[in-house]
Amino acid sequence: MTTSVHSFLTQSAARAERALDRVLPPADQLPARLHEAMRYSVLGGGKRLRPALVYAAAIALGGDDEQLDAPAAAV
């Protein structure tokens, strides 16, 4: 059971990172300094527990987790 929870959290974190990377402006887009700072603070890693809870809620409720990248990135 622990392995499956760990695996789910790892996959959810990677998925949230990809979603955040898609929605944030590129670091070299003007104003570059602002966008670099945004990307540094958001994409710096972390456990990403809140996005995992969004995905887990969809699974638990029988929802379609394919449409949850934006809400997961938002939290």
Side-chain angles (χ1 to χ4, degrees), residues 2-63:
T2 304
T3 304
S4 62
V5 171
H6 183 267
S7 175
F8 174 77
L9 290 175
T10 302
Q11 291 172 358
S12 295
R15 184 173 172 183
E17 284 286 321
R18 288 190 303 273
L20 287 164
D21 186 49
R22 283 193 307 269
V23 299
L24 288 169
D28 59 354
Q29 181 179 329
L30 293 176
R33 187 172 175 122
L34 173 65
H35 293 155
E36 287 173 21
M38 289 168 57
R39 295 181 71 80
Y40 175 80
S41 66
V42 173
L43 297 175
K47 297 193 188 305
R48 302 278 184 229
L49 183 60
R50 284 177 263 180
L53 292 174
V54 172
Y55 296 128
I59 292 168
L61 298 173

